[in-house]
Amino acid sequence: MKLGVFVSDFKLTVDTLDRLKAEKLGLILVQNGVYHATTKENGKASSLLEKTPNLYALSDDIQIRGLKVTDVDKRVKVVNYSDIVDLIFNDYDKVAWL
Amino acid sequence: MKLGVFVSDFKLTVDTLDRLKAEKLGLILVQNGVYHATTKENGKASSLLEKTPNLYALSDDIQIRGLKVTDVDKRVKVVNYSDIVDLIFNDYDKVAWL
Amino acid sequence: MADVKLAFIVQKPQYKGETSRLAITHAISYQTVEILLEDGETVTPKLCFIGEGVLGLQKGQNAMELYGITSTESHMKNTLLVDLDVLVCKEDLDRYGIPEDAMPDADEMGADKKIQVVPFTEIQKAMEEAKHVLFF
Amino acid sequence: MADVKLAFIVQKPQYKGETSRLAITHAISYQTVEILLEDGETVTPKLCFIGEGVLGLQKGQNAMELYGITSTESHMKNTLLVDLDVLVCKEDLDRYGIPEDAMPDADEMGADKKIQVVPFTEIQKAMEEAKHVLFF
Amino acid sequence: MGKLALGCYPGLVGNMSYDFALKLADAAVSKGHTVSIWFSGNATGSVKSHQKHLKDYSTGEKHLLALVAKGVEICTCEACTVARGIQKPEGIEGVQWNAMHWYLGKIHAADRVLLIGGE
Amino acid sequence: MGKLALGCYPGLVGNMSYDFALKLADAAVSKGHTVSIWFSGNATGSVKSHQKHLKDYSTGEKHLLALVAKGVEICTCEACTVARGIQKPEGIEGVQWNAMHWYLGKIHAADRVLLIGGE
């Protein structure tokens, strides 16, 4: 399956995510999930960013927090709501909010 | 200070709890916090039970989950709402819900 | 599209919040959705419990006596009675030391269905086969 | 009991839910509580941010433009303007790589108070000195 | 164009998961997709009319009305709603009231389903 | 006897942190303590009257009324409540409406304070 997963918390238990398998896995970082893209803990980027090359973070949720798009890890594509609609319909056949 | 802490989740980030110091620390396990008292993960009891000798778990929240008082770790005292009121007023001068 | 298969994945424990309970009641409502669909159209959820979601299933719950609410155990019996597939992750039961025979059944109510304790790969398969996955 | 000291400890990040925002607005309301108290009675909260609670403080927030709501930054400025002590845990800022100068100030509004970046021991001390501790 | 069936459980105003659902619905319908939203649990509290729009809350009644006007079908779980003391005449106009199978019906027809759980 | 000032943010019916606050209040007042409860955030949705008591919800209106009858002072954050579309005449009788400083005032007089946060 092609599965797009919305990650809305920073220190979410990643148990579920660790076990999920998909031919194509996308992670869409929203709300506090955007910290995975912008924030290094003890100098180390979030391990979530290694799970898949298909990484997205919601621009509004970056900016509302006073973070800058330049803070975002290079592996992560910054998207808006309209882009997310296209991801849902064009890139993934199932989507989940963990 | 004498601090009574209510633990209402099982896999709560224990960061805060790890750093809190109190001459007398009490942990009152409620809601999903009671699993700390009843459930061993991979055969190991919760590390929370080593933080203090003052451990309590709410009877109603054990029983509603189909757990038995006999499942409760011996270090933990099973209490009811009335006991919790007494703990709050007699045993701790500050209480917190984490 | 006569039948639409769904995977309901419950990962939160029962009782603290509402989400994990609503997963069950929403699954049960598959039984009455036909009034909104064309003839021959159906929706078939599989109800799967993983992670901490397996914690709230044990037999012997006292929700009605203690809180005046319907227990998850009772909701699970209804789920079996309306013939839904219920999958519980074996690795997670093992991890938390919960024996398989602690799972509720609805034998006394005449249900043929049983809760199926399965390896996670079976739950992964349910997600693959489903048209949509819903995480609770 | 002329003055009652409180420690407000914010450990949840701002914006997803309401709790961490309500901590700030409740602290600010210390200013108007005198109408409910006897002469000379006061309540003095210290607003402390620890753990993930430090994440939502950075300057340059765009809450009004993007969501039409008051930003935490703006709430923090009000907090400084009403002369409340705000302590932010230095270890946690370091852990998340947030520089001290990313903390908001209310200089341009004429506030004398600044956010104090302090080691956790200072926040522990605020909890010790307080009559009550409230975790948000 | 596609059909999107959103489910939203957390809420109400004040919780930004709820806001996400509304903003995503708006973006999808603006692109020509057909969108439905199902409210259950705490999110059902958001169908009460006469909400005062304060600056600490991102969305709410006026956004729901705007979505309804754009053709988004919105339905609240009747049981969850009356449990919260909200009766149908007090609800926002244009929002439907139904049982849980309404959502399963929308899911049947949908190309994509996103359920936002949590409280 | 002592004075307990509870603060309750999560709710409303359906969330068992809310239930905990009500049950603890009941236990404390039954022992002769003086108890106040402050509702803020989502918990303010619980002051709407005419709640239907369904079997999936533990507490709600009738429990609030019982607490008020036992002398527990209950107050809802007015701003949070009107943001949810609930006006004072629609509220449960006996529940007070006030601003956040009401809670700080109760805290001033209290021997013990328990704030239950979360959504």
Side-chain angles (χ1 to χ4, degrees):
Chain A
M1 62 183 158
K2 296 182 184 175
L3 179 66
V5 175
F6 288 84
V7 177
S8 70
D9 268 315
F10 188 27
K11 288 204 185 168
L12 155 101
T13 328
V14 289
D15 281 15
T16 306
L17 207 48
D18 274 341
R19 293 197 286 190
L20 280 180
K21 284 187 200 117
E23 291 109 56
K24 181 174 177 178
L25 178 68
L27 295 184
I28 304 152
L29 307 171
V30 296
Q31 301 182 338
N32 294 327
V34 301
Y35 289 118
H36 287 289
T38 57
T39 302
K40 291 186 167 69
E41 189 169 343
N42 298 321
K44 239 188 124 238
S46 168
S47 63
L48 237 59
L49 305 185
E50 287 155 28
K51 292 212 179 299
T52 169
N54 307 307
L55 297 162
Y56 311 92
L58 179 57
S59 166
D60 279 15
D61 283 343
I62 294 166
Q63 292 180 54
I64 192 179
R65 286 166 175 75
L67 302 164
K68 288 184 247 16
V69 171
T70 50
D71 295 328
V72 174
D73 192 287
K74 285 198 176 57
R75 291 168 284 182
V76 181
K77 195 173 170 201
V78 176
V79 294
N80 60 26
Y81 281 100
S82 169
D83 299 326
I84 290 178
V85 172
D86 291 343
L87 285 171
I88 289 175
F89 279 107
N90 305 335
D91 291 43
Y92 299 95
D93 49 31
K94 300 170 195 177
V95 285
W97 181 283
L98 285 196
Chain B
M1 62 183 158
K2 295 181 185 175
L3 179 66
V5 175
F6 288 84
V7 177
S8 70
D9 266 317
F10 188 29
K11 289 204 187 168
L12 153 103
T13 327
V14 287
D15 281 16
T16 306
L17 207 47
D18 275 340
R19 293 196 288 189
L20 280 180
K21 283 187 200 117
E23 292 110 52
K24 181 173 176 178
L25 178 68
L27 295 184
I28 303 152
L29 308 171
V30 297
Q31 299 181 340
N32 293 327
V34 301
Y35 289 118
H36 287 290
T38 57
T39 302
K40 292 186 166 68
E41 191 169 341
N42 298 321
K44 241 188 121 238
S46 167
S47 63
L48 238 59
L49 305 185
E50 286 155 30
K51 291 211 180 302
T52 169
N54 308 306
L55 297 162
Y56 311 92
L58 179 57
S59 166
D60 279 15
D61 282 344
I62 294 166
Q63 292 180 53
I64 193 179
R65 286 167 174 75
L67 301 164
K68 288 182 247 16
V69 171
T70 49
D71 295 328
V72 174
D73 191 287
K74 284 199 176 57
R75 290 168 286 182
V76 180
K77 195 172 169 204
V78 176
V79 295
N80 61 25
Y81 281 101
S82 169
D83 299 326
I84 290 178
V85 172
D86 291 342
L87 285 172
I88 290 174
F89 279 106
N90 305 334
D91 291 43
Y92 299 95
D93 50 29
K94 299 171 194 175
V95 285
W97 180 285
L98 284 195
Chain C
M1 187 70 65
D3 181 46
V4 173
K5 288 188 195 338
L6 305 177
F8 279 36
I9 315 289
V10 183
Q11 51 173 356
K12 296 199 179 81
Q14 297 290 319
Y15 289 119
K16 190 180 179 188
E18 269 188 294
T19 297
S20 47
R21 180 169 35 190
L22 289 166
I24 307 175
T25 50
H26 277 68
I28 291 172
S29 78
Y30 97 103
Q31 237 206 341
T32 51
V33 68
E34 61 178 318
I35 59 170
L36 301 172
L37 301 177
E38 303 293 320
D39 276 357
E41 290 183 343
T42 49
V43 179
T44 312
K46 270 193 187 177
L47 190 54
C48 309
F49 293 84
I50 64 169
E52 287 186 70
V54 308
L55 288 171
L57 298 177
Q58 299 194 54
K59 265 184 206 164
Q61 297 178 22
N62 287 295
M64 191 51 77
E65 297 80 347
L66 294 168
Y67 284 88
I69 59 171
T70 308
S71 70
T72 301
E73 185 177 2
S74 164
H75 279 315
M76 291 311 297
K77 288 182 181 184
N78 291 333
T79 308
L80 296 170
L81 276 172
V82 300
D83 220 32
L84 275 176
D85 279 328
V86 180
L87 310 183
V88 176
C89 179
K90 183 170 171 32
E91 291 92 330
D92 291 326
L93 283 183
D94 290 347
R95 173 177 170 184
Y96 294 119
I98 303 168
E100 288 195 26
D101 63 11
M103 294 297 102
D105 58 57
D107 288 354
E108 85 282 12
M109 302 157 88
D112 294 324
K113 280 271 174 180
K114 303 261 181 215
I115 285 179
Q116 302 162 56
V117 175
V118 299
F120 183 78
T121 50
E122 286 296 307
I123 291 170
Q124 172 78 26
K125 210 174 124 207
M127 288 192 262
E128 307 269 3
E129 288 170 358
K131 185 174 181 200
H132 304 295
V133 293
L134 295 84
F135 279 81
F136 293 87
Chain D
M1 187 71 64
D3 182 45
V4 172
K5 289 188 195 337
L6 305 177
F8 279 37
I9 314 289
V10 183
Q11 52 174 355
K12 297 200 179 79
Q14 297 289 319
Y15 288 118
K16 188 179 181 190
E18 269 188 295
T19 297
S20 48
R21 180 168 35 191
L22 289 167
I24 307 176
T25 50
H26 277 69
I28 292 172
S29 78
Y30 98 103
Q31 238 206 342
T32 53
V33 67
E34 59 179 319
I35 59 169
L36 300 172
L37 301 177
E38 302 294 321
D39 275 0
E41 290 182 344
T42 51
V43 179
T44 312
K46 269 191 188 179
L47 191 54
C48 310
F49 293 84
I50 64 169
E52 286 186 71
V54 309
L55 289 171
L57 297 177
Q58 299 195 54
K59 266 184 207 165
Q61 296 178 22
N62 287 295
M64 191 51 78
E65 297 80 346
L66 294 168
Y67 284 89
I69 58 172
T70 308
S71 70
T72 301
E73 185 177 3
S74 164
H75 279 314
M76 291 310 298
K77 289 183 180 183
N78 291 331
T79 308
L80 296 170
L81 277 173
V82 300
D83 219 33
L84 274 176
D85 279 329
V86 180
L87 310 184
V88 176
C89 178
K90 183 170 172 30
E91 291 92 329
D92 291 326
L93 284 182
D94 289 347
R95 173 177 170 184
Y96 294 120
I98 303 168
E100 286 194 28
D101 63 11
M103 294 297 101
D105 58 59
D107 288 355
E108 83 283 11
M109 300 156 89
D112 295 324
K113 280 271 174 179
K114 302 262 183 215
I115 285 179
Q116 302 161 57
V117 175
V118 298
F120 184 79
T121 49
E122 286 296 307
I123 291 169
Q124 172 79 27
K125 209 174 125 208
M127 288 192 262
E128 306 270 3
E129 288 170 358
K131 185 175 181 199
H132 305 294
V133 294
L134 295 84
F135 279 81
F136 293 87
Chain E
M1 303 313 294
K3 285 187 186 150
L4 175 64
L6 287 171
C8 183
Y9 291 48
L12 33 158
V13 285
N15 181 303
M16 298 190 81
S17 299
Y18 175 88
D19 298 340
F20 180 89
L22 265 52
K23 284 175 194 288
L24 182 68
D26 186 56
V29 78
S30 301
K31 290 194 155 219
H33 298 293
T34 303
V35 181
S36 64
I37 307 178
W38 167 248
F39 288 138
S40 183
N42 272 342
T44 63
S46 74
V47 305
K48 175 83 174 67
S49 61
H50 304 303
Q51 293 171 27
K52 194 167 166 93
H53 284 270
L54 303 174
K55 288 218 171 117
D56 269 334
Y57 298 108
S58 179
T59 59
E61 184 170 11
K62 69 181 173 195
H63 297 86
L64 286 183
L65 285 168
L67 288 175
V68 169
K70 285 184 182 178
V72 174
E73 269 196 277
I74 302 179
C75 183
T76 189
C77 173
E78 180 155 4
C80 295
T81 316
V82 296
R84 284 157 178 80
I86 302 164
Q87 314 301 322
K88 216 167 169 172
E90 301 170 316
I92 293 170
E93 220 184 296
V95 172
Q96 302 173 47
W97 292 49
N98 211 323
M100 294 178 183
H101 56 226
W102 186 92
Y103 187 44
L104 293 191
K106 289 296 168 195
I107 286 176
H108 188 277
D111 299 298
R112 294 291 182 274
V113 169
L114 179 62
L115 180 120
I116 300 178
E119 314 301 316
Chain F
M1 304 311 295
K3 285 188 185 145
L4 175 65
L6 287 171
C8 182
Y9 291 48
L12 35 160
V13 284
N15 180 304
M16 298 190 82
S17 300
Y18 176 87
D19 297 340
F20 180 89
L22 266 51
K23 284 175 194 288
L24 182 67
D26 186 54
V29 79
S30 301
K31 290 194 155 220
H33 298 294
T34 303
V35 181
S36 65
I37 308 179
W38 166 250
F39 288 137
S40 183
N42 272 342
T44 64
S46 74
V47 305
K48 175 83 174 67
S49 60
H50 305 304
Q51 293 172 27
K52 193 167 167 92
H53 284 270
L54 303 174
K55 287 217 170 118
D56 270 334
Y57 298 108
S58 180
T59 60
E61 184 170 14
K62 69 181 172 195
H63 297 86
L64 286 184
L65 286 167
L67 288 176
V68 169
K70 285 184 182 179
V72 174
E73 269 196 277
I74 302 179
C75 184
T76 189
C77 173
E78 180 154 3
C80 295
T81 316
V82 296
R84 283 156 179 81
I86 303 165
Q87 314 301 322
K88 215 167 168 173
E90 301 169 316
I92 293 170
E93 221 184 295
V95 172
Q96 302 173 49
W97 292 48
N98 211 323
M100 294 179 184
H101 56 226
W102 186 92
Y103 187 43
L104 293 192
K106 289 296 167 194
I107 286 177
H108 188 278
D111 299 298
R112 295 292 182 276
V113 169
L114 179 62
L115 180 121
I116 300 177
E119 313 303 314

